[in-house]
Amino acid sequence: WKKRLLLIGDVVILYVALAGALLVRYGINGFGATFPDHRESFFPVFLLIILVFYLFDLYHLRPFLTQLVLFRATTVAAITAGIVSMGAFYLFPDYFELTPKTNLVLFIAFVLALSYGWRAFLRLRFKASAVPVVFVGASPRITELVEEVRHSPHLGYFVAGHYETLEGGNGSALESLADARNLALLVIDPVLAR
């Protein structure tokens, strides 16, 4: 559902970015006359941008790791999308019937700003709605998983506890933790589950 949300947001952003670019360029009076033509001409560009964003993994959660990684990934993808779009306008001038260099530059600037803002907002939202997870086990696989969850809050999980074993009173601690944190997920090392 997170990938679909990203895609829906990007489609909205593309139309808003086009509207913003046209408002900046032509003002409120010229907007109504220019938007329909530009909307038709930019639709293939929208598809190209979505394809470039997909190729740059912006529909996966990996770029959400840190704000800096997210900014770099979004910037490189938007600049690449702008270059590809500009190439499309000049390679197929009969199809587009427009050669809006300034409009395209403004549009890509809006796309970059809005796409980064959208993804930064979602990163915070995913982190805020994280699901509490308790891990039980001391195997390297469990330890690695605990570290991965700790360092990747954008995945939507956080470590609510990590116990090496359920012996020695940890079982009752786990019960109280489950009640206190509304525990949603318990991960037990398969060795302990036997």
Side-chain angles (χ1 to χ4, degrees):
W1 68 268
K2 291 177 182 179
K3 292 178 185 180
R4 274 185 251 142
L5 184 62
L6 281 166
L7 179 61
I8 291 167
D10 279 348
V11 169
V12 170
I13 283 169
L14 292 171
Y15 282 101
V16 169
L18 178 60
L22 295 177
L23 282 169
V24 167
R25 180 76 193 270
Y26 301 110
I28 193 76
N29 295 332
F31 174 76
T34 58
F35 187 75
D37 291 337
H38 281 78
R39 185 184 61 220
E40 279 184 35
S41 293
F42 271 73
F43 182 74
V45 172
F46 292 177
L47 297 176
L48 283 173
I49 290 172
I50 288 171
L51 176 64
V52 169
F53 279 19
Y54 175 78
L55 293 173
F56 276 80
D57 276 346
L58 289 183
Y59 295 110
H60 290 100
L61 298 178
R62 196 171 321 121
F64 286 73
L65 189 59
T66 66
Q67 288 292 101
L68 182 60
V69 171
L70 180 60
F71 180 74
R72 284 181 184 162
T74 307
T75 302
V76 172
I79 290 170
T80 302
I83 292 168
V84 169
S85 299
M86 193 170 289
F89 270 107
Y90 289 105
L91 286 174
F92 308 105
D94 294 336
Y95 178 79
F96 290 106
E97 298 177 8
L98 297 170
T99 54
K101 291 179 245 174
T102 304
N103 293 350
L104 186 60
V105 170
L106 286 170
F107 169 70
I108 292 300
F110 273 99
V111 167
L112 171 60
L114 294 171
S115 294
Y116 173 72
W118 171 238
R119 283 167 169 74
F121 168 76
L122 286 179
R123 182 180 185 275
L124 293 174
R125 187 74 185 111
F126 293 160
K127 190 175 176 180
S129 63
V131 174
V133 182
V134 170
F135 294 89
V136 180
S139 72
R141 185 170 31 177
I142 291 289
T143 304
E144 180 182 327
L145 191 55
V146 168
E147 289 306 308
E148 176 70 23
V149 170
R150 278 196 179 125
H151 292 100
S152 305
H154 59 282
L155 295 177
Y157 300 98
F158 75 91
V159 178
H162 179 206
Y163 301 97
E164 290 185 10
T165 179
L166 289 174
E167 296 172 2
N170 283 340
S172 60
L174 186 60
E175 286 177 30
S176 62
L177 183 65
D179 291 338
R181 295 237 179 158
N182 197 15
L183 184 64
L185 191 58
L186 175 63
V187 178
I188 300 177
D189 191 338
V191 173
L192 296 176
R194 292 182 190 153

